Amino acid sequence: MKKKVLVVGGGGREHAIVEALSRSMQVGQIYCAPGNAGIGELAACVPLKDTDVDGLLHFAQEHDIDLTVVGPEAALAAGIVDKFRAAGLKIFGHTQAATAIESSKDFAKRLMAGAKVPTAAYRTFTDFDEAWAYVQAGSLPTVIKYDGLAAGKGVVVATSLAEAEAALRDMLLDGRYGEGKVVIEEFLTGPEFSLMAFVSGRQVRPMVAAQDHKRAFDGDEGPNTGGMGAYTESFATGKSGLSFISDEEYNFAVSRILQPVANAMADAGTPLSGVLYGGLMKTPSGIKVIEFNARFGDPETEVVLPRLETDSYEVFEAVATGGEIPALRWRDEAVLGVVLASKGYPGSYAKDAPITVAPDFAERLCHMGTKRDADGSLLTAGGRVLMVIASAPTTPAASRLVYAAVEKIHCDNLFYRHDIAKYVIPGLTGNL
Ligand code: AMP
Ligand code: GLY
């Protein structure tokens, strides 16, 4: 009997997960809650919110779902994994307690200190006067992080004292995000990259690394976003999947960062059972952790999972049940993706702009925020709307394919970056 799978979430990351599952020999019907217009071509979309844990549990029981795979952190933080497991259902994702590795910066920092994992030096504060005195006595830039989940908006890299003071007021006095606690960190420099691993207890199976582009505009200008594009490279320059990360650095990131964190979480009685995402930086003094996430990255997943040759159902199921995770095999290719976002994102933006995709569009298209109206036409429905993705033997070739394909998507209200992978393709902007 082919397996029935429920994927929770409705963005580009979930589109990539659904696509990977649809390639599995073991998987029959896929459901996705809430899904989106693109996911709807591969899965049955279920109109339930990702945080509607009771509704999702009821759905999984009614439909004899064999395995549930959770995308968004909000669902994990809402305790979906705990509830499903208590009801005897198989589910891929971390428990509410283990999600603290992402949802509390202070927890993550303390865990790293205990496990001797390299990261920026830090202090935690709840009192405004103490935090402000510490910042005034230290150097600039300084990094101020709100302790809880703040939808990607809780980090301020302050280059002036005025900026630092405003951030501390926001986070500690005005209660803008809730309970006030901040982590103040040493400012690190160097290229950032994302290394995700499937983790089940002490088992760590690293994926190929990828690089995201968080600023909205070309040249890393503009506000921070959820990510405007990502890529992973072939094995021509080593096993990491990024030409600027050597095998030695990749091994270090796995053995001195991901593995000790998995062990420390298991030792603390909160073992991991999903994806551990390391937001890492290659600093002049080695690889260090910027942040952890307790889930697949978005848009990294859209470029990493297409390279996975191992049956994804077997991987997800092993992680969900504590079984042995199969060895991961990866296609030797570069994959690059460019996000098309609504004008105004990450600020406010209009929805319902019509999108047309030319009939000769031939690359991969992950839907991030789309819907269909009653007559079937495709409309924008979010900040990040689509991601155009191409695979090729080299990163420049993948980039050329992607940017040619972007021209085949027509919509008045979308913008995108022209320089994805600029770190490894010099002179990219304007040269395509
Ligand atoms: P985060 O939400 O923790 O990923 O932080 C958002 C962004 O802030 C990161 O992608 C970095 O570019 C920057 N950042 C965070 N922490 C540091 C740090 N200690 N030093 C320099 N930049 C940082
Ligand atoms: N791409 C960054 C994240 O998923 O958090």
Side-chain angles (χ1 to χ4, degrees), residues 212 214 226 277 293 295 297-300:
D212 185 12
K214 287 200 171 147
Y277 166 122
N293 290 325
R295 51 168 176 83
D298 193 353
E300 291 92 332

Side-chain angles (χ1 to χ4, degrees), residues 180-200:
K181 194 196 267 190
V182 297
V183 165
I184 301 182
E185 270 189 14
E186 165 198 15
F187 175 74
L188 301 176
T189 55
E192 289 179 61
F193 64 102
S194 310
L195 178 59
M196 301 186 283
F198 293 101
V199 180
S200 174

Side-chain angles (χ1 to χ4, degrees), residues 25 32 60 70 92 119 142 145 154 258 284 293 311 322 324 355 398 432:
M25 301 301 289
C32 188
V70 184
F92 174 95
T119 185
T142 187
K145 300 186 172 182
L258 300 182
N293 290 325
D311 188 308
E324 183 174 346
I355 308 166
L432 292 157

Side-chain angles (χ1 to χ4, degrees), residues 5 24 80 90 160 184 192 225 281 285 300 356 384 386 427:
V5 184
S24 163
I80 188 170
K90 274 190 227 168
S160 68
I184 301 182
E192 289 179 61
T225 71
M281 187 183 270
S285 51
E300 291 92 332
T356 51
R384 293 186 295 177
L386 291 168

Side-chain angles (χ1 to χ4, degrees), residues 25-40:
M25 301 301 289
Q26 309 229 28
V27 172
Q29 177 70 49
I30 306 175
Y31 298 91
C32 188
N36 63 37
I39 291 172

Side-chain angles (χ1 to χ4, degrees), residues 30-75:
I30 306 175
Y31 298 91
C32 188
N36 63 37
I39 291 172
E41 291 165 22
L42 297 168
C45 293
V46 183
L48 290 172
K49 274 182 62 172
D50 58 13
T51 49
D52 180 3
V53 174
D54 291 329
L56 291 164
L57 176 62
H58 182 70
F59 179 88
Q61 288 170 325
E62 288 278 293
H63 291 78
D64 296 320
I65 298 295
D66 294 292
L67 175 69
T68 298
V69 177
V70 184
E73 65 273 27

